[in-house]
Amino acid sequence: MADFKGSTIYQIYPKSFYDSNHDGVGDIRGVIEKLDYIQSLGVDLIWSTPFFVSPLNDNGYDVEDYRKIHPLFGTMEDVEELIREAEKRGMGLMLDMVFNHTSTRHEWFQRALAGEKDYMDYYIFRDGGADTPPTNWQSKFGGSAWEYVPSLKKWYLHLFDVTQADLNWENPKVREELKEVIRFWKKKGVKGFRFDVVNLISKPKIFEDDNEGDGRRFYSDGPHVHEYLKELVADTGIGDLITVGEMSFTSLDHCIRYSSPEEKELSMCFNFHHLKVDYRDGNKWALMRPDYRKLKELFETWQTGMEQENGWNAVFWCNHDQPRIVSRFGDEKKYWKESAKMLAACIHMLRGTPYVFQGEELGMTNTGYTDISEYRDVESIHYYHILLNEGKSREEALQILRQRSRDNSRSPMQWDFGTYAGFSEQEPWIKIPENHKKINVAAEEADPDSILHYYRKLISLRKQYAVIREGAIEFLYREQPEIFAYRRLLEGEELVVLNNLTDREVVLPESVSCQNSICLLHNYPEGLCRNTLETLRPYESLVLFKRYS
Ligand code: GLC
């Protein structure tokens, strides 16, 4: 069994990582060229978002062929070289398997459209008149989740874009096809798999209208999902690799089952509850200041709940679907460095496997785009129009996108001070924020106090201290929403992590002495703490360690 508890995983969005052939789009050779940098972070696995053949309507999450590489990103030889070169540096590649749906350009869907019965059964087609979709379910990107095909007089289900048709996992042939894809990549030496929205694969027997919501309660963690995952893992022999499922709108009980080793499903789960504490009434497109009390409660529930039942969390703030964390829960201006470091410490010392999304280790910020023409993401563009139709002004709609768009995380990696931030010599496919002149790898390599070096320290602590990998967790100062603090415990070792989530000084409920412990990390410029603390300064964060004899 791979050491998923001791690993840190680095996520790459290849389109925006490094452009080796200078056509404005990042590519697989770009990742190969930057492997020494990735290795220097101390990470174990590189998760790449999809680079397979695709019309790229949803940037690769609309797969047309699971075994072929999109020429924009490179060739199969490039991927093989990436696997080899990563391995030489002690790292593995984790691939993103989008198995809830395929692109409508996939051969299976094309054959279904041509009326081949066998292939129609690969997808979820339902009868119905041209004006009456089978249910009132909404797509996650806005609008109906059903699309009518006049030539077949049937509707097909697409929980995401209209070009992403949901697969019918009830059909054993579909499950076999997908297992073959896993076997193909496993043979190539891939060391892990991330399964995209995998808790949505099992749809209910009966499709009915949802009078309370958008339909998700019927198909999230659906009736056969655990069975299907067990079968997929057992039949492909990936139980000893590192696997993670992206779980949308899930529950703790299901995530325990997905990730506890006895169940033989996955190594760990992503859940998103903690990233909804700034959604007003659960609506991503309605802005609200983060509710830190809620955030703390959620971490506590998920951390202790998973520990009690032997489940395992993937811990993270950022990915290619989320705005940048420093802009979201931190302060991208006055306390940029302090807050980025504090947020990193919050996550990395938890019980779970940390994920770092490219540029997070630099404290990259939201993009600050001011015109809709600068956005590229299918979801942002859909929602911009939905917001206008709801009566919002352009400026109001843009204000929402500036905080919520997925493009906030998709702007190019900022490598240096040069034009296009050293990402490319060509104008990139998506605009680079102005602040690349300050926030970039070159600047942060040269600054011993940088966010980049802080991430390196955090990642190396996980290797050095068993208490971080294995320790139990206990939450401190539970009644104080401004302080996110916890203790980790393991046979004679104790780690205390203290974080001020706010831009104000806060009084600690009891004084904390740094004299009886070793201060492993501290995010204020004066260096490691040796005093007794009565208060925490804005965004102050400390990691303290004690060993008992
Ligand atoms: C996941 C991916 C996201 C994609 C969606 C549909 O949530 O992370 O980028 O749009 O699934 O595949």
Side-chain angles (χ1 to χ4, degrees), residues 248-457:
S248 162
F249 189 67
T250 189
S251 70
L252 174 60
D253 287 345
H254 278 289
C255 285
I256 289 168
R257 292 174 66 190
Y258 293 129
S259 66
S260 79
E262 304 82 71
E263 296 286 335
K264 300 197 175 2
E265 294 182 19
L266 303 171
S267 319
M268 64 189 111
C269 303
F270 288 116
N271 83 79
F272 297 89
H273 296 286
H274 65 297
L275 294 174
K276 295 182 178 163
V277 299
D278 55 358
Y279 290 7
R280 185 148 39 82
D281 302 325
N283 177 0
K284 169 169 172 175
W285 308 98
L287 303 179
M288 191 181 88
R289 291 170 73 83
D291 178 344
Y292 291 124
R293 197 177 284 280
K294 186 89 182 285
L295 182 75
K296 285 180 43 146
E297 275 168 22
L298 283 164
F299 273 126
E300 184 166 343
T301 307
W302 280 82
Q303 286 278 307
T304 49
M306 287 293 239
E307 180 187 330
Q308 277 158 16
E309 302 291 336
N310 207 14
W312 197 251
N313 286 299
V315 290
F316 71 106
W317 290 123
C318 298
N319 68 25
H320 62 291
D321 296 328
Q322 298 293 328
R324 293 286 183 179
I325 199 61
V326 68
S327 306
R328 190 174 183 183
F329 293 169
D331 174 349
E332 56 175 51
K333 303 230 155 59
K334 182 163 175 205
Y335 295 110
W336 167 66
K337 239 187 204 182
E338 292 82 357
S339 63
K341 291 178 179 178
M342 180 278 291
L343 288 163
C346 283
I347 285 289
H348 281 252
M349 299 293 105
L350 285 175
R351 183 177 177 279
T353 300
Y355 285 68
V356 179
F357 176 68
Q358 64 181 51
E360 176 187 344
E361 76 278 20
L362 308 174
M364 274 178 64
T365 65
N366 282 349
T367 54
Y369 297 155
T370 53
D371 195 275
I372 189 64
S373 63
E374 292 168 326
Y375 285 93
R376 297 287 174 269
D377 178 29
V378 57
E379 183 196 54
S380 302
I381 294 165
H382 275 178
Y383 268 95
Y384 176 71
H385 294 292
I386 292 175
L387 292 167
L388 293 186
N389 286 338
E390 283 171 2
K392 299 251 179 329
S393 69
R394 275 162 198 262
E395 196 32 56
E396 283 166 339
L398 285 169
Q399 168 69 14
I400 294 174
L401 289 194
R402 272 197 289 280
Q403 294 195 44
R404 295 293 149 87
S405 169
R406 305 194 299 180
D407 282 339
N408 282 310
S409 57
R410 297 177 181 186
S411 65
M413 177 77 176
Q414 295 169 189
W415 293 103
D416 62 32
F417 302 89
T419 327
Y420 309 131
F423 163 73
S424 177
E425 285 164 14
Q426 274 293 316
E427 184 170 357
W429 68 280
I430 187 169
K431 192 176 152 186
I432 298 188
E434 274 313 304
N435 65 19
H436 79 264
K437 295 265 183 327
K438 167 178 159 198
I439 305 175
N440 64 56
V441 174
E444 299 201 24
E445 287 288 8
D447 170 10
D449 184 43
S450 65
I451 299 169
L452 173 59
H453 288 305
Y454 208 78
Y455 267 83
R456 288 190 173 124
K457 277 187 213 141

Side-chain angles (χ1 to χ4, degrees), residues 53-228:
V53 168
S54 156
L56 302 179
N57 290 331
D58 186 19
N59 274 348
Y61 284 92
D62 43 338
V63 180
E64 186 178 327
D65 189 332
Y66 293 99
R67 295 179 181 80
K68 291 215 170 81
I69 309 306
H70 195 302
L72 195 62
F73 296 119
T75 62
M76 186 58 85
E77 289 68 45
D78 293 338
V79 177
E80 287 164 354
E81 188 177 331
L82 173 61
I83 294 172
R84 275 197 312 275
E85 289 298 318
E87 195 137 294
K88 276 191 204 156
R89 293 166 176 81
M91 299 181 291
L93 181 65
M94 172 185 263
L95 286 190
D96 208 324
M97 294 286 115
V98 190
F99 282 175
N100 175 67
H101 43 264
T102 71
S103 162
T104 48
R105 291 240 301 253
H106 195 290
E107 189 197 338
W108 303 334
F109 194 79
Q110 289 298 316
R111 297 179 76 164
L113 277 189
E116 283 189 46
K117 289 271 171 313
D118 268 6
Y119 285 96
M120 285 175 71
D121 201 28
Y122 272 41
Y123 295 90
I124 300 173
F125 280 96
R126 288 289 181 275
D127 294 324
D131 302 321
T132 43
T135 66
N136 65 351
W137 299 358
Q138 295 294 297
S139 140
K140 307 238 180 212
F141 293 159
S144 171
W146 296 94
E147 180 72 7
Y148 189 62
V149 183
S151 59
L152 299 172
K153 295 202 172 51
K154 285 183 192 295
W155 297 79
Y156 69 85
L157 180 69
H158 62 91
L159 295 181
F160 293 88
D161 189 51
V162 59
T163 62
Q164 292 165 298
D166 280 54
L167 283 164
N168 174 19
W169 275 68
E170 282 198 14
N171 181 351
K173 283 195 200 145
V174 167
R175 305 203 297 274
E176 279 314 311
E177 297 264 20
L178 300 176
K179 286 176 208 164
E180 274 302 307
V181 174
I182 296 284
R183 292 183 191 116
F184 174 87
W185 284 109
K186 186 174 179 244
K187 228 188 260 161
K188 294 218 176 276
V190 160
K191 290 290 181 294
F193 291 99
R194 177 233 188 218
F195 292 99
D196 189 61
V197 290
V198 75
N199 69 324
L200 310 185
I201 58 177
S202 172
K203 311 298 191 277
K205 254 244 131 12
I206 298 168
F207 285 69
E208 54 187 313
D209 275 352
D210 187 353
N211 300 320
E212 290 167 26
D214 62 4
R216 65 181 67 188
R217 66 196 172 98
F218 295 128
Y219 56 72
S220 307
D221 303 313
H224 302 291
V225 63
H226 293 284
E227 223 174 279
Y228 293 157

